[in-house]
Amino acid sequence: MGASKRNPDRRPTHPDAVIREDILPELGIAQAEFASHLGVSRLTVSDLLHEKHSMTAEMAVRVSTVVGGVTGKLAAYAGSA
C-alpha cells in the first residue's frame, strides 16, 4: 500500500463545521429557522455551529431527520424554493 495523502498535522473536520459551512448554505436557511425545524433554541444551534458544545447522539438524530434523505423535512422545503 502507498503512503497516505492525509496531512497528519491536520485536525479532523468537526461535524458541526460541515453543517455550518456546507449544509445550511446549501439549504439557504438561517440558524433560527434550522433551530425551529430541529425543535431547539437558536442559541443551542449557535453553540453547536460555533463548536462550543459537542453534538450529542440525540442532536445527531434530529439533524439527520431534518436534513437526511428525501424524507427529511428540509429536503421538501428546499425543493419547493
Side-chain angles (χ1 to χ4, degrees):
M1 297 219 153
S4 173
K5 293 182 181 182
R6 183 185 176 284
N7 178 350
D9 297 326
R10 183 181 173 274
R11 288 182 36 200
T13 302
H14 196 281
D16 300 329
V18 174
I19 295 170
R20 179 183 66 243
E21 296 173 16
D22 296 330
I23 294 174
L24 290 182
E26 180 69 25
L27 293 173
I29 63 171
Q31 290 181 24
E33 186 174 357
F34 189 55
S36 175
H37 285 290
L38 292 174
V40 299
S41 72
R42 184 202 52 77
L43 182 60
T44 298
V45 169
S46 179
D47 285 348
L48 283 171
L49 298 180
H50 292 96
E51 302 173 27
K52 292 181 181 178
H53 296 289
S54 298
M55 183 175 295
T56 63
E58 178 186 354
M59 184 60 73
V61 169
R62 288 178 186 225
V63 170
S64 176
T65 300
V66 171
V67 302
V70 181
T71 60
K73 294 176 188 174
L74 288 179
Y77 172 83
S80 67

